[in-house]
Amino acid sequence: MRLYAWMMIVFLGVFLCSCKREKSYTSPNENFAQTWYAGKAELTSYTLEQARYGEVRRGEAVLIFVTEDFSNDQLIKLDEPDKTSDKTKVLKLNLTKSFVTGVYPYSMMLCVFTPVSASGNETALKITSSVQEWCGQTYSSLKMKGGNYDWRLYSYFEKEGEQNETVGDAFAEDGIWTGIRMNPNTLPQGKVKLLPGLLWQRLSHTTMQAEEAEATLTKADTSFIKEAAQVYTVHYPSLNRTLRIYFTAAAPYQILGWQESYPDGFGPNKKMLTTTAKRKATIWSDYWSHNRLSDSTYRDSLQLAPHGYEQ
């Protein structure tokens, strides 16, 4: 009898742990599953004007949105999600930027993994960024651990080197992109504390910490995007930085473009500049299956330059 009771306790413990690991999320809207669970990703290309070293450079950007099964414990994409209960459905963003500064090119990438939820303000579980250029490369990440973000930086600059800090549980700016796609109406508004975007943090070489910001969601005028749109605006008074993301008013809330204004450059060349991006083309594709030479026509559909950037 004692053995039976002990076995029941062990079984119950295992059952409760497995239930705790697998989270169930409701879809943001009734068309979400039809849009995002069809086995394809949304790929959108943008003309990019990127502020760097006190000047604005022409380039290209691409936003890739796709749903995946994600491990809560390891914070990585699952190869065999059917074989584990440690999983969460996430909406993933891969954002890439390519541009040239003088003789050498820049390649930047941001990845955001946010649990699918009816609430657009669901906290991103993991955010990573990388920057490659001819001087070297850097990598940074935010990982949700125990209710707080763990920030890591690996840089080729001597003054930065390798860093690892707990930066609190403030909402991460980079989670706004995926939040818009799920439910922009529930994103933070008013006075909020945000962790600034990882790519901006890398270009500005600032310390990663939560900053006071003002966030608004309004109808956009047509001075920048020449079609009906909404705009989510974040302004950081202490950083003199403003980010505006424009998107369609109805689901699936496609990103039409963005503007990012801040003091750019170093020393006497520092000036207020604005990075902009405007949508060129959108396709839906299982792009990971199209890696042959003959599949380069997909780049034509996205109006992308052959070498990944515009001159």
Side-chain angles (χ1 to χ4, degrees):
M1 183 67 181
R2 290 182 178 178
L3 178 60
Y4 174 78
W6 180 83
M7 292 176 64
M8 288 299 295
I9 291 173
V10 173
F11 172 78
L12 181 60
V14 172
F15 174 77
L16 290 175
C17 287
S18 64
C19 289
K20 184 179 179 180
R21 282 183 168 189
E22 184 171 5
K23 298 179 71 175
S24 176
Y25 293 92
T26 56
S27 294
N29 57 73
E30 60 182 9
N31 296 321
F32 188 88
Q34 182 179 358
T35 301
W36 294 106
Y37 297 156
K40 293 185 177 181
E42 181 199 80
L43 293 79
T44 304
S45 59
Y46 300 82
T47 55
L48 175 69
E49 293 188 350
Q50 177 69 48
R52 188 61 177 149
Y53 301 128
E55 296 180 306
V56 176
R57 325 294 178 132
R58 293 184 61 194
E60 291 181 327
V62 177
L63 298 189
I64 302 170
F65 287 96
V66 66
T67 53
E68 294 178 345
D69 289 299
F70 199 69
S71 166
N72 289 303
D73 290 342
Q74 301 181 70
L75 297 181
I76 55 177
K77 176 185 175 182
L78 291 167
D79 294 328
E80 299 179 299
D82 295 336
K83 294 185 178 180
T84 180
S85 60
D86 169 33
K87 58 186 175 184
T88 296
K89 186 71 72 175
V90 298
L91 179 62
K92 180 181 74 173
L93 162 66
N94 284 342
L95 183 160
T96 65
K97 291 182 176 183
S98 301
F99 57 95
V100 173
T101 56
V103 68
Y104 62 96
Y106 261 76
S107 179
M108 307 176 69
M109 187 169 187
L110 174 74
C111 302
V112 183
F113 304 83
T114 304
V116 172
S117 171
S119 173
N121 61 4
E122 188 74 34
T123 302
L125 295 176
K126 181 179 179 181
I127 304 168
T128 65
S129 74
S130 61
V131 179
Q132 301 85 37
E133 36 93 5
W134 283 4
C135 295
Q137 60 182 326
T138 61
Y139 172 84
S140 59
S141 67
L142 287 168
K143 295 182 180 180
M144 181 57 65
K145 295 183 178 180
N148 291 285
Y149 274 119
D150 174 80
W151 175 65
R152 293 176 184 259
L153 169 66
Y154 301 90
S155 172
Y156 66 87
F157 287 104
E158 179 185 5
K159 292 183 179 180
E160 295 177 339
E162 297 184 7
Q163 300 181 44
N164 181 200
E165 297 179 15
T166 298
V167 292
D169 60 351
F171 193 82
E173 175 194 304
D174 291 325
I176 292 171
W177 300 88
T178 46
I180 286 174
R181 303 310 307 268
M182 288 187 280
N183 191 342
N185 297 308
T186 60
L187 284 170
Q189 295 190 54
K191 294 185 180 299
V192 295
K193 271 199 168 185
L194 297 176
L195 293 170
L198 288 184
L199 291 183
W200 174 83
Q201 191 270 337
R202 284 292 75 228
L203 291 180
S204 61
H205 298 280
T206 57
T207 300
M208 175 54 71
Q209 61 184 20
E211 301 283 354
E212 296 287 344
E214 300 170 0
T216 59
L217 175 63
T218 59
K219 180 180 179 181
D221 60 36
T222 56
S223 60
F224 178 63
I225 299 296
K226 307 300 182 182
E227 57 184 290
Q230 287 185 290
V231 57
Y232 187 81
T233 303
V234 176
H235 175 64
Y236 296 89
S238 62
L239 303 176
N240 196 16
R241 174 173 173 260
T242 301
L243 172 67
R244 297 181 179 89
I245 305 175
Y246 298 81
F247 55 95
T248 59
Y253 308 110
Q254 291 181 309
I255 306 294
L256 301 173
W258 63 90
Q259 297 171 303
E260 185 181 5
S261 301
Y262 54 88
D264 179 78
F266 301 95
N269 293 323
K270 202 167 190 176
K271 62 185 72 173
M272 197 70 183
L273 295 177
T274 299
T275 291
T276 65
K278 292 185 179 181
R279 182 172 69 168
K280 291 196 292 186
T282 297
I283 65 172
W284 289 81
S285 172
D286 54 339
Y287 66 92
W288 50 88
S289 300
H290 302 291
N291 50 27
R292 301 177 64 85
L293 288 174
S294 58
D295 292 326
S296 61
T297 53
Y298 284 88
R299 293 186 63 83
D300 297 335
S301 299
L302 286 167
Q303 302 175 32
L304 292 173
H307 300 293
Y309 56 85
E310 291 184 348
Q311 292 285 2

